[in-house]
Amino acid sequence: MDWMASAMRAAQAQLETATHNLANVTSDGFRRVRSSLTLTRQGLVAHEAPDAAQGGIRETRRALDLALLGPGSFRVGGSLTRDGHFMRDRDGYLADQQGRRVQGRAGPIRLSADAVVGSDGTIRDAGRVVGELPLPAGTTVRSGALESSSVDAISETLAILTSQRAFETAQKTFGAIDQARDKAVNDVARLK
């Protein structure tokens, strides 16, 4: 029964991962989360790991829309994101749609409307470097574009159906084991 309970928990975890992925199919910069199962002595255990697959790049022609090609993220406020839909806030800082400021190597990046972001993450304003995005080796920036989600809606829908089916199978098996135990207990009591 413990194994069937672990199979139900693992199927539930995989279902939650797939639904989270599917909910973010249109979220710019979202990277799919992979779910895998490991068989242990206690039963099945689900694990999550980010998928490193690059999302598609779509042109926006907005100078402050930035797409990352390769690993890495933008530091925005206190968090990391690959959603590069940025604008200038009212104080002239590069910010996301929630107003959180993009962090460069030397803190928040202040720029004019004419600033240009280079492929190496260097931000120039009137020929002068005003900031630099901290990027890992092998990462470039594409200005005027956004990275789409790396989620494939059809694959995630199939993962949802598979997880639901696995949960139902484990649930039915759990019920059958419980009925067999109940019958065995009642039959032993009747024999006495």
Side-chain angles (χ1 to χ4, degrees), residues 29-148:
F30 181 82
R31 287 224 171 150
R32 178 182 176 270
V33 177
R34 288 181 288 117
S35 181
S36 61
L37 296 176
T38 303
L39 184 60
T40 67
R41 289 183 187 190
Q42 290 76 32
L44 287 173
V45 178
H47 302 281
E48 287 186 347
D51 194 340
Q54 176 83 41
I57 304 297
R58 78 173 189 282
E59 298 292 324
T60 64
R61 297 198 174 142
R62 292 186 61 237
L64 296 180
D65 279 348
L66 307 175
L68 292 175
L69 303 169
S73 304
F74 299 107
R75 277 192 284 156
V76 179
S79 61
L80 299 174
T81 183
R82 288 187 63 89
D83 182 1
H85 183 61
F86 301 127
M87 60 196 78
R88 287 179 64 234
D89 68 10
R90 66 178 179 211
D91 298 322
Y93 287 95
L94 188 61
D96 68 2
Q97 293 173 330
Q98 288 81 36
R100 299 175 301 175
R101 292 180 175 165
V102 177
Q103 300 296 310
R105 291 198 189 276
I109 301 168
R110 192 172 204 174
L111 61 150
S112 75
D114 299 323
V116 176
V117 181
S119 63
D120 63 350
T122 302
I123 301 168
R124 297 182 189 284
D125 201 346
R128 184 175 59 88
V129 174
V130 294
E132 185 179 353
L133 298 169
L135 302 174
T139 301
T140 57
V141 177
R142 188 159 169 194
S143 183
L146 291 172
E147 177 183 6
S148 299

Side-chain angles (χ1 to χ4, degrees), residues 10-21:
Q12 180 68 30
Q14 287 192 307
L15 177 64
E16 289 171 4
T17 301
T19 55
H20 177 72
N21 285 339

